């Protein structure tokens, strides 16, 4: 017995002093662990300070039913149950039973409320017993962050997110994802948690071991007004043509700042949402919008001029058994290269490029390379597709006997919408190619941390002489009656651009029975001294409704351009305030006449702008309550013209 007792003592000594640290560490590992406290993610703002994405704290409130003393528990049980009943709508008796059961069953992690906001969290922690804190009252608070987007579905994919799945795989689409690691994420904190059985853990104290450091706020180049205009203009057209998907990008010409980017895809139910970032990640054959790049190369190499005449040969050309056709049956006869571009003659452009480069196609390709058309834009948003430019010197199966001719009118090459827009923007910017930019600055509590300036990709993509010719061609597409974009022409507002109608999936066997097209319009506005460039691309519109770029995508471009200048006037326009315009003068005289004539009887305000009608009625000699439904121009008034008005009478105006 003595020997056995001695062995036990030796073993205890060994456990306590020899292996003590090992067993302490093992015990602590099993019952105590460090838990990461995610830092508050920084906010994402628009260029004008509107909130695009923010992290909202959400709270789970629990109680350790064993922590409080018997006296505190019994005294606070009824008032705590009453407070919880008012908060949740359940009965006080229900909570008294549940809390007593939790204490009896030694439940140290009983859930009181889940996923509540900050104001509710403050309210609950002041309830009886819980207001005693973690040690005396058993209060357990767990905070998580939920990312909210105040604009809802608008630009959802562009704003983006950073998300990690259960396997540790991280997806980072959009602005939030692109700048998350460097700016938004912050530095996580740590706190110790204790195992309390049944796989549950609770904080050891209210204080954190390491406090988290919040992420920076980023200010994007997005303008919420322009974004809203672009989103709804695109959505309306997609619904009208029952198209598969589409995108719009609006870029500021001088700086490359992206003012709006909308990507909408159709669901199985026929609705549209921000499915993928098509503008950045989807490359496709651009079709006729690539004719600008082809002519830019030829004009710069001085192998053709806009005044050169080409024979469209009744609208059909054949190369190695493959036909190039014009959309106009019978072709356009003999026309200038300029007119071939303006009417978007496939045969005219193809013939001009073929004649100029048939013996040296690599020269054509080299010129495209010199204009940076083979490079990615190297933007921070993840997933940009690489351009495809066939090259006769590269043996990759992309070059063939008809590659040069097909490239001339936008087939065989592949660009993303944003890459195409960047080239058009360079033409609008007198040859200076700027990198598209999504970020203006990074801030912390209002203090600027980093500012992002304009980045130049190419100081001069081609000569000034070539730029002027291309700018005139793009103006002619809209301004000249024979131009494919002439239906977009407005006497009051100038635009320049190019239509595009490209066949897609034409290699599939069912294409003849089920034709699919990509309709696009790329350009800038105003035509002189342009402020914004814009691209609209719509995939697979219903051919029974329409599919030409001028019909499908052109109206979106025009709607965006006009509304931008209606809703967000340029500072430069202030210089034109002294210029008298007949139509404006007449509108003012008509308004002044109405204001002087009608003092106590109802005028006819139908056709007036809503703000003018409101001002007119609110400044009459009788006091009126004016209610306006909608915005724009007045279409209906609740009180007929010439009716005598009374004080405090309500007048309802409908506008659209």
């Amino acid at each position: 017995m003595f020997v056995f007792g001695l062995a036990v003592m030796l073993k205890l000594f060994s456990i306590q002093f020899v292996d003590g640290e090992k067993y302490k560490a093992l015990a602590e590992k099993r019952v105590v662990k460090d838990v990461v406290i995610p830092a508050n993610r920084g906010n994402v703002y628009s260029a004008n300070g509107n909130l695009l994405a923010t992290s909202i704290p959400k709270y789970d409130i629990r109680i350790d039913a064993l922590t409080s003393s018997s006296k505190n528990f019994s005294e606070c049980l009824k008032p705590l149950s009453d407070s919880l009943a008012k908060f949740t709508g359940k009965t006080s008796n229900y909570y008294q039973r549940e809390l007593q059961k939790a204490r009896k069953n030694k439940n140290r992690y009983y859930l009181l409320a889940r996923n509540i906001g900050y104001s509710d969290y403050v309210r609950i922690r002041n309830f009886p017993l819980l207001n005693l804190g973690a040690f005396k009252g058993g209060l357990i608070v767990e905070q998580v962050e939920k990312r909210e987007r105040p604009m809802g579905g608008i630009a959802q994919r562009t704003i983006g997110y950073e998300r990690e799945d259960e396997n540790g795989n991280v997806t980072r689409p959009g602005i939030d994802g692109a700048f998350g690691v460097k700016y938004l994420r912050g530095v996580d904190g740590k706190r110790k948690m204790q195992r309390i059985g049944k796989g549950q853990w609770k904080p050891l104290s209210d204080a954190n071991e390491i406090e988290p450091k919040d992420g920076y706020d980023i200010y994007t180049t997005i303008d919420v007004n322009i974004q809203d205009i672009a989103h709804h203009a695109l959505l309306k057209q997609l619904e009208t043509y029952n198209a598969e998907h589409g995108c719009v990008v609006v870029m500021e010409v001088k700086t490359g700042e992206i003012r709006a980017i909308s990507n909408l895809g159709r669901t199985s139910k026929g609705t549209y949402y921000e499915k993928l970032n098509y503008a950045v990640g989807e490359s496709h054959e651009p079709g006729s919008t690539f004719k600008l790049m082809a002519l830019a190369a030829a004009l710069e190499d001085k192998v053709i001029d806009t005044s050169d005449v080409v024979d469209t040969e009744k609208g059909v050309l054949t190369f190695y058994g493959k036909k190039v056709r014009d959309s106009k049956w019978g072709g356009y006869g003999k026309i200038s290269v300029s007119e071939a571009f303006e009417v978007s003659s496939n045969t005219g452009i193809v013939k001009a490029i073929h004649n100029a480069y048939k013996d040296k196609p690599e020269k054509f390709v080299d010129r495209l390379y010199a204009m940076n058309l083979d490079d990615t834009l190297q933007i921070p948003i993840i997933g940009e597709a690489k351009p495809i430019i066939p090259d006769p010197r590269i043996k990759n199966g992309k070059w063939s006997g008809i590659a040069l001719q097909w490239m001339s009118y936008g087939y065989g090459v592949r660009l993303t919408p944003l890459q195409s827009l960047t080239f058009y923007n360079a033409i609008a910017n007198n040859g200076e190619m700027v990198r598209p930019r999504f970020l203006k600055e990074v801030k912390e509590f209002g203090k600027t941390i980093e500012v992002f300036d304009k980045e130049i990709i190419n100081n001069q993509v081609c000569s000034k002489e070539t730029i002027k010719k291309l700018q005139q061609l793009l103006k002619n597409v809209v301004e000249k009656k024979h131009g494919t974009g002439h239906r977009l022409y407005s006497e009051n507002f100038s635009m320049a651009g190019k239509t595009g109608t490209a066949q897609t999936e034409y290699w599939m066997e069912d294409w003849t029975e089920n034709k699919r097209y990509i309709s696009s319009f790329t350009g800038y506005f105003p035509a002189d001294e342009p402020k914004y460039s814009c691209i609209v691309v719509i995939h697979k519109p219903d051919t029974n409704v329409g599919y030409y770029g001028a019909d499908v995508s052109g109206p979106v471009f025009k709607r965006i351009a006009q509304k931008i200048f209606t809703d967000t006037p340029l500072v430069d326009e202030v210089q034109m305030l002294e210029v008298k315009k007949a139509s404006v003068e007449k509108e003012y005289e008509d308004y002044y006449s109405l204001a002087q004539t009608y003092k106590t009887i109802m005028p006819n305000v139908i056709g007036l702008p809503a703000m003018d009608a409101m001002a007119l009625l609110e400044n009459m000699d009788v006091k009126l309550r004016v209610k306006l439904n909608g915005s724009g121009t007045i279409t209906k008034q609740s009180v007929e013209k010439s009716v005598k008005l009374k004080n405090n009478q309500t007048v309802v105006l409908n506008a659209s």
Side-chain angles (χ1 to χ4, degrees):
M1 290 294 293
F2 173 77
V3 172
F4 178 75
L6 185 61
V8 170
M9 293 296 294
L10 288 171
K11 187 64 178 177
L12 287 174
F13 180 83
S14 175
I15 292 172
Q16 182 72 25
F17 297 103
V18 179
D19 299 322
E21 293 303 319
K22 181 180 76 171
Y23 287 118
K24 282 180 185 178
L26 184 61
E28 189 171 299
K29 182 179 179 182
R30 290 184 175 180
V31 298
V32 178
K33 69 176 181 179
D34 286 324
V35 176
V36 172
I37 306 171
N40 289 326
R41 196 171 182 84
N43 295 332
V44 180
Y45 294 93
S46 70
N48 36 15
N50 297 94
L51 192 60
L52 300 179
T54 187
S55 292
I56 304 295
K58 296 292 182 180
Y59 302 87
D60 289 349
I61 308 297
R62 299 177 184 270
I63 187 171
D64 181 344
L66 285 182
T67 293
S68 58
S69 66
S70 298
K71 179 184 176 183
N72 286 340
F73 186 82
S74 62
E75 287 180 355
C76 295
L77 179 61
K78 178 68 165 62
L80 173 59
S81 299
D82 290 343
S83 298
L84 289 170
K86 288 180 182 178
F87 181 78
T88 66
K90 296 179 180 179
T91 65
S92 178
N93 288 335
Y94 166 82
Y95 280 109
Q96 290 182 59
R97 289 194 306 270
E98 288 297 312
L99 290 170
Q100 286 174 333
K101 187 190 301 182
R103 190 171 176 88
K104 181 180 178 181
N105 294 335
K106 300 181 180 180
N107 190 334
R108 310 196 69 176
Y109 204 60
Y110 180 74
L111 180 67
L112 297 177
R114 185 188 295 279
N115 200 35
I116 61 174
Y118 180 75
S119 59
D120 287 335
Y121 153 67
V122 172
R123 179 183 169 189
I124 289 179
R125 74 173 297 152
N126 287 310
F127 286 175
L129 189 61
L130 300 179
N131 59 7
L132 299 178
F135 297 111
K136 291 185 178 181
L139 173 66
I140 299 172
V141 178
E142 295 178 333
Q143 178 181 330
V144 295
E145 298 293 330
K146 185 178 180 182
R147 203 67 169 162
E148 297 283 353
R149 297 173 185 83
M151 290 180 65
I154 297 178
Q156 180 177 338
R157 192 76 184 182
T158 302
I159 297 169
Y161 55 84
E162 186 175 21
R163 190 174 297 159
E164 184 175 351
D165 63 17
E166 62 276 7
N167 298 319
N169 299 315
V170 181
T171 53
R172 300 188 182 97
I175 294 169
D176 203 314
F179 302 105
V181 175
K182 189 172 183 181
Y183 301 116
L184 292 167
R185 190 185 286 178
V187 180
D188 293 339
K190 286 184 180 180
R191 78 185 311 176
K192 289 193 179 296
M193 301 278 281
Q194 181 181 23
R195 187 183 181 93
I196 56 175
K198 297 182 180 179
Q200 296 178 332
W201 298 76
K202 75 165 191 176
L204 278 178
S205 66
D206 281 339
N208 299 325
E209 297 291 318
I210 300 174
E211 291 296 331
K213 185 180 184 299
D214 293 347
Y216 295 133
D217 296 332
I218 62 173
Y219 285 74
T220 70
T221 61
I222 300 294
D223 184 306
V224 292
N225 296 319
I226 298 177
Q227 181 68 45
D228 184 68
I229 291 166
H231 174 88
H232 287 97
L234 176 64
L235 177 61
K236 180 180 179 182
Q237 205 73 344
L238 289 172
E239 291 174 339
T240 299
Y241 285 87
N242 191 30
E244 183 186 86
H245 65 271
C247 67
V248 169
V249 185
V250 180
M251 183 192 297
E252 191 170 83
V253 169
K254 297 295 182 185
T255 65
E257 293 183 355
I258 301 298
R259 294 299 181 212
I261 176 169
S262 183
N263 301 275
L264 296 174
R266 187 178 60 206
T267 68
S268 58
K269 296 179 180 179
T271 58
Y272 292 89
Y273 77 110
E274 288 260 340
K275 196 173 182 179
L276 295 170
N277 197 335
Y278 304 111
V280 172
E282 183 180 50
S283 65
H284 59 86
E285 293 174 311
S288 292
T289 55
F290 195 80
K291 291 173 182 173
L292 183 76
M293 292 74 156
L295 283 188
L299 290 170
E300 190 67 5
D301 285 337
K302 300 187 183 303
V303 291
I304 64 170
D305 194 17
T306 53
S307 59
D308 292 348
V309 175
V310 290
D311 188 354
T312 61
E313 297 186 16
K314 299 183 179 180
V316 180
L317 296 177
T318 304
F319 299 94
Y320 297 96
K322 300 289 186 179
K323 296 185 182 300
V324 177
R325 299 180 186 274
D326 277 330
S327 57
K328 180 183 178 183
W329 184 259
Y332 299 90
K334 292 182 179 181
I335 56 175
S336 66
V337 169
S338 173
E339 189 175 349
F341 182 83
E342 292 151 15
V343 300
S344 201
S345 168
N346 295 333
T347 57
I349 298 298
V350 168
K351 193 165 190 179
I353 298 298
H354 170 76
N355 290 341
Y357 291 104
K358 60 184 176 182
D359 297 325
K360 47 195 174 198
E362 63 280 355
K363 184 178 179 181
F364 178 70
V365 174
D366 284 340
R367 181 57 65 183
L368 297 179
Y369 288 169
M371 297 188 295
N372 300 92
L373 289 169
D374 63 323
D375 297 331
T376 60
L377 298 171
Q378 299 176 25
I379 57 176
I381 289 183
I382 297 168
E384 181 188 5
K386 182 172 176 56
I388 294 176
I389 305 289
D391 189 324
R393 295 159 296 192
I394 300 175
K395 308 302 180 184
N396 56 6
K398 299 186 183 301
W399 188 264
S400 67
I402 58 171
L404 173 66
Q405 294 74 22
W406 257 239
M407 290 169 67
S408 305
Y409 70 121
Y411 289 92
V413 297
R414 298 184 76 90
L415 297 172
T416 68
L418 190 56
Q419 289 161 359
S420 292
L421 178 62
T422 301
F423 183 83
Y424 273 74
N425 191 84
I427 302 306
N429 200 23
N430 295 319
E432 184 181 76
M433 181 180 283
V434 293
R435 196 181 315 281
R437 188 154 51 89
F438 293 87
L439 222 58
K440 288 181 74 72
E441 58 181 333
V442 178
K443 290 187 176 183
E444 182 183 32
F445 302 114
K447 178 184 176 183
T448 299
I449 302 298
E450 188 172 351
V451 176
F452 298 87
D453 296 318
K454 178 175 76 172
E455 293 183 44
I456 299 175
I457 298 174
N458 189 330
N459 286 305
Q460 198 68 42
V461 292
C462 47
S463 66
K464 297 288 186 182
E465 180 185 358
T466 299
I467 291 292
K468 293 299 180 186
K469 291 178 179 179
L470 296 175
Q471 289 174 342
Q472 189 60 51
L473 290 176
L474 292 170
K475 284 178 66 175
N476 291 347
V477 168
V478 177
E479 292 181 1
K480 289 197 172 182
K481 289 184 177 180
H482 61 247
T484 54
H486 185 66
R487 66 192 67 188
L488 308 180
Y489 175 72
S490 170
E491 291 182 356
N492 303 317
F493 185 77
S494 64
M495 295 169 284
K498 181 72 184 74
T499 58
T501 309
Q503 297 177 4
T504 185
E505 299 179 359
Y506 50 83
W507 53 87
M508 299 182 70
E509 293 181 1
D510 68 335
W511 195 85
T512 304
E513 294 75 28
N514 180 23
K515 295 180 179 179
R516 280 89 79 191
Y517 294 91
I518 300 172
S519 305
S520 59
F521 191 94
T522 314
Y524 50 84
F525 52 92
D528 299 311
E529 298 184 12
K531 174 72 174 177
Y532 297 107
S533 60
C534 177
I535 186 169
V536 183
V537 181
I538 294 180
H539 286 249
K540 301 179 186 177
D542 187 340
T543 55
N544 294 318
V545 184
Y547 59 90
Y548 285 111
D551 300 327
V552 181
S553 297
V556 179
F557 181 95
K558 182 177 181 179
R559 196 174 299 124
I560 291 170
Q562 289 186 324
K563 282 194 70 68
I564 283 176
F565 279 89
T566 301
D567 297 352
T568 56
L570 296 177
V571 175
D572 294 346
E573 291 179 356
V574 174
Q575 301 172 0
M576 302 173 62
L577 291 177
E578 299 300 321
V579 180
K580 291 187 177 182
K581 189 175 180 181
S583 61
V584 176
E585 289 290 309
K586 185 177 185 306
E587 286 178 8
Y588 174 76
E589 290 172 2
D590 292 344
Y591 174 80
Y592 182 78
S593 177
L594 277 174
Q596 296 302 311
T597 304
Y598 295 95
K599 294 293 186 180
T600 59
I601 62 173
M602 183 68 189
N604 179 20
V605 296
I606 293 174
L608 283 180
M611 297 307 295
D612 287 352
M614 292 280 288
L616 180 64
L617 296 178
E618 289 174 351
N619 287 284
M620 298 185 73
D621 288 348
V622 290
K623 188 175 181 181
L624 300 175
R625 297 190 187 95
V626 183
K627 181 179 179 183
L628 176 64
N629 296 324
S631 61
T633 303
I634 302 299
T635 57
K636 187 178 180 181
Q637 59 189 60
S638 64
V639 180
E640 296 291 331
K641 176 186 175 184
S642 301
V643 173
K644 183 75 173 178
L645 296 169
K646 301 176 183 178
N647 277 325
N648 298 318
Q649 184 173 351
T650 299
V651 177
V652 180
L653 304 177
N654 292 335
S656 63

